[in-house]
Amino acid sequence: MEKLRKAVNEIAYAHDHAKLSPLQRSFVPVLSFASTLYKLALSLRRALYNFGLFREHRLPVPVICVGNLTWGGNGKTPMVEFIARWLADSGISPLILTRGYAGGDEAKMLQRHLLGRPVKIAIGANRAAIASSFLKEYGYVDPHSNNTYSYRTQGHPDSERIGAAILDDGMQHWSLRSDLKIVMVNGLMLWGNSQLLPLGPLREPLNALERADVVVLHHADLIPEQSLKDVELTVREIKEYLPIFFTRMAPSHFFDVGNINSKKPLTALTNTIVLCVSAIGSANAFVQGMKKLGAFYVDQLEFSDHHIFQPKDYDREPAILKLLDPFQVMALCSELQFIPNKGCTGDSFKKLIKELLEHKFPGAC
């Protein structure tokens, strides 16, 4: 299954099918047919919502959607963490709504990173339902009047009242209305072959950017300046005045996998030989980051996004993984950081989000 996923991924990001292997080229007609069916299903689903046959739920608090148009590696989870941290530090208790892929690995990471802040994380596919249950449990602050509404008053102080919801991976989650849509774009991979799933990486056609309020180009530090300009041009052709921000993942420290509370400086990699083992959406960005930290040599062992590691995985690369025990195994901690570009900074991003929310919900921020 892992090899099949990699083969499909290579097809999705190949601009010239002639460069694919014969086996991969044999998959193209099947994937193309499936992509056509996906497009029809997507159009039908959108029409059912537009005509009111499928219900769109609305929460009594502002909903900030962080989504994308392609599969993994777009920086959604780091952006969710950035926004949640900012809201919490501003006196607004946010509720993160996440589907919880592969056992909820991202939710667990968010819980660890946001520990000590009044941030709640709700996990489930029906995010409208789980949001309603959390609002009943903790109460909420009316964004129009700043009045506090509570269904249960015992055990939860006013500071725990929910003031906003953050919809993780919500661009295609149409059953819950979003008041602000932030679209993350992977600068290293972009749109691939520009085809819909499963032939390509697109969950929706590029014109879906018309629904966006903000676009964030992630991993902008790892791509050439001309490529940045090309992306901006593509976005502007779809929605001329759409704000565009640049971000990157800034490494902060390492910790030993056996001791999550340990902290090791980034210089620990200087002049060392490193094997990068990853199960994330953009492994190339991870590897390039390790090279920038001064490692003597970097190799990689890449698994599909959200891959659940099991003991048998150690047998996939016996020449390497069976020898891990004598070596130091560390995990990298990074955080999302804005790259200043034409006046667009982290502070201006916060200001824009605040202005957009206050336009729809006066007094929300």
Side-chain angles (χ1 to χ4, degrees):
M1 183 60 71
E2 191 71 32
K3 291 182 178 179
L4 178 61
R5 287 176 180 173
K6 287 184 177 180
V8 172
N9 185 73
E10 289 174 3
I11 294 171
Y13 286 100
H15 295 282
D16 184 1
H17 285 174
K19 296 181 179 179
L20 297 172
S21 69
L23 178 61
Q24 288 174 323
R25 287 198 297 272
S26 70
F27 291 157
V28 171
V30 177
L31 294 175
S32 181
F33 178 70
S35 182
T36 300
L37 294 179
Y38 175 83
K39 183 178 181 179
L40 292 173
L42 194 67
S43 299
L44 176 61
R45 182 168 173 255
R46 184 78 258 182
L48 291 173
Y49 275 102
N50 288 339
F51 287 112
L53 297 177
F54 280 4
R55 183 184 173 190
E56 185 182 52
H57 299 270
R58 185 172 186 86
L59 299 183
V61 296
V63 177
I64 302 171
C65 164
V66 179
N68 60 359
L69 300 184
T70 61
W71 60 42
N74 298 274
K76 295 186 305 295
T77 304
M79 177 57 76
V80 167
E81 179 183 338
F82 179 91
I83 295 172
R85 190 185 300 272
W86 166 57
L87 289 175
D89 292 347
S90 301
I92 299 172
S93 179
L95 170 65
I96 297 174
L97 302 171
T98 179
R99 185 166 185 169
Y101 295 103
D105 56 340
E106 292 174 342
K108 293 174 184 175
M109 184 186 71
L110 288 169
Q111 287 175 335
R112 188 174 74 249
H113 290 184
L114 297 169
L115 188 65
R117 288 180 167 85
V119 178
K120 295 154 197 68
I121 302 175
I123 305 174
N126 189 340
R127 281 172 270 187
I130 59 172
S132 297
S133 67
F134 268 71
L135 291 170
K136 289 180 179 179
E137 172 70 24
Y138 292 94
Y140 64 91
V141 178
D142 186 340
H144 296 287
S145 63
N146 283 330
N147 289 331
T148 296
Y149 292 87
S150 176
Y151 295 90
R152 299 181 184 179
T153 57
Q154 294 182 354
H156 300 304
D158 287 346
S159 60
E160 292 290 319
R161 305 293 181 245
I162 296 168
I166 306 171
L167 184 57
D168 181 23
D169 197 9
M171 191 63 180
Q172 293 77 40
H173 194 79
W174 300 331
S175 62
L176 183 61
R177 178 177 293 184
S178 299
D179 301 294
L180 179 66
K181 291 182 174 65
I182 300 169
V183 175
M184 305 295 297
V185 177
N186 184 342
L188 285 174
M189 309 297 284
L190 293 178
W191 331 111
N193 59 13
S194 299
Q195 300 294 320
L196 291 173
L197 294 170
L199 179 60
L202 289 177
R203 295 176 170 184
E204 292 186 78
L206 286 181
N207 60 16
L209 286 173
E210 293 175 354
R211 306 200 314 270
D213 297 291
V214 178
V215 164
V216 177
L217 184 61
H218 195 45
H219 300 311
D221 59 319
L222 301 177
I223 59 179
E225 185 176 350
Q226 184 57 50
S227 296
L228 295 175
K229 293 179 180 178
D230 292 343
V231 175
E232 286 190 273
L233 181 62
T234 300
V235 172
R236 300 282 183 226
E237 288 176 347
I238 298 171
K239 192 171 183 179
E240 185 175 358
Y241 297 108
L242 192 60
I244 302 175
F245 291 83
F246 295 168
T247 59
R248 72 183 189 105
M249 290 306 296
S252 57
H253 65 277
F254 295 97
F255 66 83
D256 288 317
V257 294
N259 181 9
I260 199 171
N261 295 316
S262 63
K263 274 193 176 184
K264 294 187 176 295
L266 299 178
T267 53
L269 251 61
T270 303
N271 294 325
T272 59
I273 297 175
V274 178
L275 171 64
C276 295
V277 182
S278 62
I280 55 179
S282 187
N284 287 339
F286 175 44
V287 173
Q288 289 188 42
M290 293 301 95
K291 292 178 179 178
K292 284 187 174 183
L293 292 179
F296 174 74
Y297 177 77
V298 178
D299 205 343
Q300 68 182 109
L301 185 58
E302 178 185 349
F303 295 89
S304 58
D305 197 13
H306 300 290
H307 175 79
I308 300 176
F309 289 98
Q310 299 176 11
K312 63 183 179 65
D313 289 325
Y314 282 85
D315 294 324
R316 296 190 178 197
E317 293 288 340
I320 300 175
L321 290 180
K322 283 187 177 180
L323 300 176
L324 277 182
D325 284 342
F327 297 99
Q328 187 174 27
V329 183
M330 300 187 297
L332 175 67
C333 288
S334 302
E335 59 184 20
L336 184 137
Q337 187 177 86
F338 281 81
I339 302 173
N341 174 59
K342 301 176 184 177
C344 293
T345 64
D347 288 338
S348 63
F349 175 82
K350 295 174 185 176
K351 182 180 179 182
L352 176 62
I353 300 303
K354 183 177 180 180
E355 289 174 350
L356 290 172
L357 286 178
E358 286 185 337
H359 177 71
K360 295 184 178 182
F361 293 90
C365 295

